[in-house]
Amino acid sequence: MKITPAWRVYALGATLCVALTICSRNFGDRGGPYFISSLTIAGIVYLLAVREFSSTPIFPKRVIVIGLILAAVWHIAFLRMPPGPDDDIHRYVWDGRVQRLGYNPYTVVPSDPAFAGLHTPETRTLNHPDLPSPYPAGAQLFFRAVTAIHESVFALKVAFVVCDFAIALILLDILRRSGQGAHWVLAYVWNPLLAIEVAGSGHIDIVGALLLLVSFAALGRRWRAVAAVAFGLAVAVKLLPIVLLPLYWKRVRIRDAALAAVVVGLLYVPFFNHGRIPIGSLGTYVQSFRFNDPVFATLERVAAPKVVAGLAVLAGFLTASWMRSNAPEFSQDAFAWPMAASLLCAPVVYPWYLLWLLPFVRSASTVPLIIWTVSIIPTYCVWHLRTLGRPWLVPGWVMLLEYGAVAMAAAIIASRRVAPDVRYNSQPTKQT
């Protein structure tokens, strides 16, 4: 009996479901041996599935339906698990709560005794309680909207999972319009980071990724006002996609850009403090927070943190400018690589930051980024090491494994692209 590509995908999906279900059962010991081992197996299986997707142009519709059902199964498994006691989602609940009580999350410090009565059991363990919120206005209003419906970490996780599946629906439409195989939606929904960081921990990044994908889809349909506003809202969730500005040059009208600027400005109006645009603890984040940052740590030895952070933004801008001139119009690669370049040079590279890349990695040139979403898995060991009294530092061997895998993949792709030219140029010229 011949094993067809469809049956191989079924087998990989089933294996992925088992591995991630085991991982969810060990979510309380994030970074522990059972968590890491099951998540690593899931990551390897995911890469094998992506290879299968790239080698087969078309799959039957039932493969896509079953693949989506499997993804829903392991999303539910993680959704049922409580997040870590100091995961960012507890800060989200706090920020939404204080807004509804009439306070400004950019000025209220959670550890201030004057606000002790505002806490609930879910917000007392939030991380960095001595700092006000660092999240932009778009994120703040999302927190407020969800907590107005139900004030809990579970409600926020459900909202994030809804955003996750909204991305899948938009991707299906994009794939249909572009003529790519619809099975590529599984390369998105099967990525293990979605299970861990959206259904498990719950991170606002998925909301920004959804808005950015809406902007990308709107550009493809020539809905320029929608594209500009959605891009502005994505930046208002987190600042990372600001580096994509060159991609919108001459693709949206001046009035569309002005509309987007007005919309983002209006989001900040409720938070103005003495006429100043609020940034909360964002400056402290750049100055003091560090995680998984080999490039930033190297550059920081010769320049101030704010200068190096500026270089990270510049790296993204330059990459976007290059992609604007050289990549095909409305290429998903052009959205992925600038953000990846900026993240590579950032002071903090948490696994959930890569959620921004996932909707845009579907081609051979983005294979290094797909591998990065898997090679970053060993950094979870830091959560486990912290429970053993170890410092909040990514071990050197882990960063070597993570970034070495990405560099190796990039080198292999580059060599394959150069090889034909080398062979061609090496042919002897005809003598006259």
Side-chain angles (χ1 to χ4, degrees):
M1 176 180 174
K2 182 179 179 181
I3 300 178
T4 64
W7 278 105
R8 286 197 293 269
V9 169
Y10 290 146
L12 291 169
T15 306
L16 191 58
C17 190
V18 171
L20 287 175
T21 301
I22 294 172
C23 186
S24 71
R25 301 274 179 93
N26 295 277
F27 193 61
D29 183 23
R30 201 172 322 167
Y34 291 108
F35 176 93
I36 285 287
S37 58
S38 57
L39 186 56
T40 299
I41 291 172
I44 294 171
V45 172
Y46 169 73
L47 292 179
L48 292 174
V50 170
R51 181 184 179 186
E52 203 66 48
F53 300 149
S54 63
S55 61
T56 305
I58 298 177
F59 280 91
K61 185 178 293 185
R62 66 177 180 273
V63 174
I64 301 164
V65 172
I66 292 174
L68 291 172
I69 292 172
L70 286 172
V73 168
W74 64 67
H75 271 71
I76 291 172
F78 277 95
L79 194 59
R80 294 175 58 250
M81 298 294 111
D86 61 349
D87 275 352
D88 291 345
I89 198 167
H90 298 282
R91 168 73 74 165
Y92 304 164
V93 175
W94 167 262
D95 284 358
R97 176 175 173 78
V98 297
Q99 288 178 72
R100 291 186 298 104
L101 294 176
Y103 297 95
N104 190 335
Y106 293 114
T107 58
V108 170
V109 177
S111 63
D112 189 334
F115 302 108
L118 303 183
H119 280 285
T120 68
E122 288 190 329
T123 65
R124 288 196 180 96
T125 61
L126 60 77
N127 54 22
H128 309 292
D130 55 332
L131 297 174
S133 181
Y135 299 104
Q140 295 294 346
L141 294 175
F142 184 88
F143 303 152
R144 179 170 185 165
V146 175
T147 55
I149 298 171
H150 192 271
E151 189 182 285
S152 67
V153 296
F154 183 74
L156 279 163
K157 291 213 300 178
V158 169
F160 294 145
V161 170
V162 169
C163 291
D164 182 9
F165 277 90
I167 289 176
L169 292 176
I170 296 172
L171 279 176
L172 282 172
D173 180 68
I174 292 173
L175 292 168
R176 178 184 62 82
R177 289 175 58 83
S178 65
Q180 292 179 282
H183 60 275
W184 275 105
V185 72
L186 300 182
Y188 169 77
V189 298
W190 280 14
N191 191 285
L193 286 184
L194 289 174
I196 304 298
E197 301 301 349
V198 177
S201 296
H203 282 284
I204 188 64
D205 302 74
I206 198 66
V207 179
L210 170 60
L211 290 166
L212 189 59
L213 185 64
V214 169
S215 180
F216 173 82
L219 276 180
R221 289 176 174 265
R222 309 290 179 176
W223 297 348
R224 292 173 288 186
V226 174
V229 171
F231 173 72
L233 293 175
V235 174
V237 169
K238 271 196 175 179
L239 299 179
L240 174 63
I242 194 69
V243 300
L244 300 176
L245 267 176
L247 300 180
Y248 290 81
W249 177 252
K250 293 185 178 181
R251 288 176 177 167
V252 299
R253 297 163 296 193
I254 296 296
R255 67 188 184 199
D256 301 325
L259 175 62
V262 169
V263 170
V264 173
L266 290 175
L267 296 181
Y268 276 92
V269 168
F271 307 106
F272 278 157
N273 183 33
H274 302 295
R276 296 180 179 178
I277 297 177
I279 61 171
S281 58
L282 185 60
T284 305
Y285 171 89
V286 172
Q287 193 71 29
S288 306
F289 285 37
R290 301 290 181 269
F291 184 86
N292 193 25
D293 60 332
V295 175
F296 191 95
T298 301
L299 296 176
E300 194 178 18
R301 297 174 183 173
V302 296
K306 290 184 178 179
V307 173
V308 182
L311 291 176
V313 175
L314 179 61
F317 269 112
L318 293 176
T319 304
S321 298
W322 188 90
M323 299 296 287
R324 176 69 175 82
S325 302
N326 295 277
E329 191 174 12
F330 311 128
S331 165
Q332 66 265 21
D333 299 11
F335 274 66
W337 278 107
M339 292 189 293
S342 190
L343 284 175
L344 182 65
C345 304
V348 176
V349 188
Y350 288 125
W352 55 90
Y353 288 8
L354 302 191
L355 295 177
W356 288 91
L357 309 181
L358 291 183
F360 304 103
V361 287
R362 297 191 301 277
S363 66
S365 66
T366 58
V367 166
L369 304 184
I370 296 173
I371 289 175
W372 194 7
T373 67
V374 173
S375 66
I376 202 171
I377 286 173
T379 63
Y380 285 109
C381 73
V382 177
W383 276 258
H384 180 70
L385 293 175
R386 182 181 57 175
T387 65
L388 303 178
R390 301 281 292 276
W392 183 254
L393 293 172
V394 179
W397 68 268
V398 170
M399 285 195 285
L400 181 62
L401 176 64
E402 175 190 354
Y403 293 102
V406 176
M408 186 178 299
I412 291 173
I413 291 174
S415 66
R416 287 181 176 177
R417 287 184 174 181
V418 171
D421 294 333
V422 171
R423 287 194 297 268
Y424 175 80
N425 292 331
S426 64
Q427 296 297 322
T429 58
K430 184 179 179 179
Q431 300 294 320
T432 60

